[in-house]
Amino acid sequence: MTQEQKAETAREAFYARIDPQHMTPLWSVMSGLITPKPRSRAEAHIWHYGDVRPALMEAGELITAKEAERRVLILENPGLRGHSKITTSLYAGLQLVLPGEVAPCHRHSQSALRFVLEGSGAHTAVGGERTHMQPGDFVITPNWAWHDHGNETGAPMVWLDGLDIPLVQFLDASFAEMLGADEQPVSRPAGDAMARYGDGLLPVDFQSTSRTSPVFNYPYARSREALETMRRTDEWDACHGLKMRYVNPVDGDYAMPTMATFIQLLPKGFQTRGYRSSDATVFVCVEGSGSTTIGEVSFAWGKNDIFVAPSWHHLAHQASEDAVLFSYSDRVVQEKLGLWREDRGNN
Ligand code: 1HN
């Protein structure tokens, strides 16, 4: 036996001796723990709405919203199967509420966002107020807020759910309870939160008790209008086109404490410069069409397609028509912890 083999044999014996004490040597695992750059198990992937919609409608025939509590098909990252994750830290699912259905009232530690894909006029209730949702609306369910959904229209309603489930799970901080009634009592008129907090005004003595924006529906009509007005004068960002973040009007921070949300316009023919950031990002095509290269792969997308870019993968978009992308990521958390990084590809 060489000196090296002897040393290795002695080490292996040592590892075996300390194993019952629930100890393990750092030097055997260190390079996998402290990587020079993010090394995600998540993969780039796209879900074409036209391909997944039939399965969602089939689920509609197999189980009611009430039986399921929430009738959702989880979008699982191919590199993270079995973990109910679309990125390492975030969850995504497609939720269907059929005409006449109610998704019963509950609350939990996880924050949720809804991004409406199909249908018009079904509601979600938060804080005693119902908001009637339209395609492209970004709707917030703050953590620990009672919420129920109902569809009193004649057509199916479909939205993308984004939740911070894996993040909360990582921290072992999950609590949840049912209200015990299908619906929370309605105590405020529709539009109340928008009027109080979303019109550039705040009640004079308003003190926020939450880290989440008190505006819980950011209607697409308003966001789209902003992008359309800005395109006339704005300088386009080489990496993002025209990209805006949804904001909490109380403090100017992101609208939600654990998920950053964005909307961006890419004009027809625009090609973004290669970009990467440490926040894995979920994108939804709201309008138009184009394609995105993520690392080694390229996806063509159209209306309601959903695609995911893992952390630190090179990203470049190309719009074949005027296109609007909604996106969400854990950037808000990474920024707060001093971890967020980007590479705009210009150095
Ligand atoms: C939830 O409460 C909703 O309220 C959707 O619509 C998806 C996934 C896991 C846990 C709670 C909803 C969810 C969820």
Side-chain angles (χ1 to χ4, degrees):
M1 231 198 288
T2 66
Q3 279 303 111
E4 268 165 39
Q5 283 169 326
K6 271 189 206 161
E8 194 46 38
T9 305
R11 286 172 190 166
E12 295 290 349
F14 170 70
Y15 305 156
R17 280 202 308 281
I18 65 171
D19 181 74
Q21 293 173 278
H22 306 286
M23 294 196 292
T24 199
L26 171 62
W27 57 88
S28 302
V29 293
M30 195 160 178
S31 66
L33 296 177
I34 315 295
T35 59
K37 55 188 184 204
R39 215 187 276 165
S40 183
R41 282 174 52 212
E43 295 169 17
H45 192 71
I46 187 163
W47 290 262
H48 292 287
Y49 190 64
D51 295 342
V52 296
R53 188 184 183 280
L56 190 60
M57 294 304 150
E58 211 179 310
E61 292 167 14
L62 291 171
I63 192 163
T64 65
K66 195 162 174 172
E67 284 174 307
E69 191 167 334
R70 296 296 184 264
R71 188 200 293 107
V72 177
L73 296 182
I74 301 172
L75 304 182
E76 282 201 329
N77 190 290
L80 308 167
R81 291 306 308 270
H83 296 279
S84 306
K85 299 173 173 192
I86 191 162
T87 72
T88 304
S89 62
L90 299 176
Y91 160 106
L94 288 173
Q95 178 155 180
L96 170 66
V97 186
L98 289 170
E101 286 193 320
V102 169
C105 195
H106 69 189
R107 64 178 177 177
H108 39 70
S109 311
Q110 293 80 2
S111 296
L113 67 85
R114 328 282 172 197
F115 193 78
V116 180
L117 302 180
E118 180 183 329
S120 166
H123 68 264
T124 189
V126 172
E129 178 181 337
R130 284 182 175 181
T131 186
H132 295 269
M133 298 179 280
Q134 306 298 329
D137 288 1
F138 158 55
V139 178
I140 299 175
T141 306
N143 57 348
W144 209 240
W146 292 112
H147 57 286
D148 47 271
H149 318 302
N151 184 352
E152 291 162 336
T153 78
M157 193 83 187
V158 179
W159 61 75
L160 178 75
D161 285 317
L163 285 91
D164 53 8
I165 292 172
L167 203 58
V168 174
Q169 186 175 49
F170 179 75
L171 299 170
D172 279 337
S174 177
F175 295 89
E177 60 188 23
M178 301 293 295
L179 180 63
D182 278 358
E183 299 180 300
Q184 64 187 283
V186 175
S187 57
R188 293 173 181 278
D192 187 81
M194 182 60 93
R196 274 171 210 275
Y197 314 111
D199 268 331
L201 301 167
L202 290 174
V204 64
D205 288 321
F206 179 70
Q207 294 282 336
S208 179
T209 53
S210 166
R211 296 192 183 269
T212 306
S213 169
V215 175
F216 73 112
N217 187 349
Y218 292 71
Y220 186 59
R222 290 193 182 199
S223 317
R224 187 68 185 84
E225 175 74 26
L227 293 170
E228 203 54 37
T229 303
M230 285 176 66
R231 76 184 295 166
R232 295 181 222 147
T233 49
D234 239 72
E235 303 241 326
W236 300 86
D237 181 276
C239 296
H240 302 303
L242 201 51
K243 185 169 180 177
M244 307 289 279
R245 66 182 177 92
Y246 289 91
V247 71
N248 179 341
V250 177
D251 58 11
D253 206 339
Y254 290 97
M256 305 178 73
T258 51
M259 292 184 283
T261 49
F262 307 90
I263 192 137
Q264 74 192 101
L265 177 67
L266 301 166
K268 181 182 164 79
F270 197 86
Q271 160 105 51
T272 64
R273 184 204 290 158
Y275 175 86
R276 57 184 174 169
S277 61
S278 56
D279 56 323
T281 303
V282 180
F283 292 90
V284 183
C285 170
V286 197
E287 272 183 42
S289 63
S291 61
T292 298
T293 302
I294 305 169
E296 308 290 296
V297 297
S298 228
F299 302 126
W301 40 258
K303 188 175 165 59
N304 286 352
D305 291 349
I306 297 153
F307 57 98
V308 59
S311 165
W312 214 241
H313 282 44
H314 288 278
L315 196 74
H317 304 295
Q318 191 171 352
S320 29
E321 312 168 72
D322 274 5
V324 179
L325 297 177
F326 169 83
S327 57
Y328 70 99
S329 79
D330 62 14
R331 176 170 167 172
V332 53
V333 176
Q334 292 198 30
E335 284 186 0
K336 295 257 178 343
L337 301 179
L339 293 169
W340 186 76
R341 287 200 199 193
E342 67 177 346
D343 168 9
R344 292 181 50 89
N346 53 1
N347 41 25

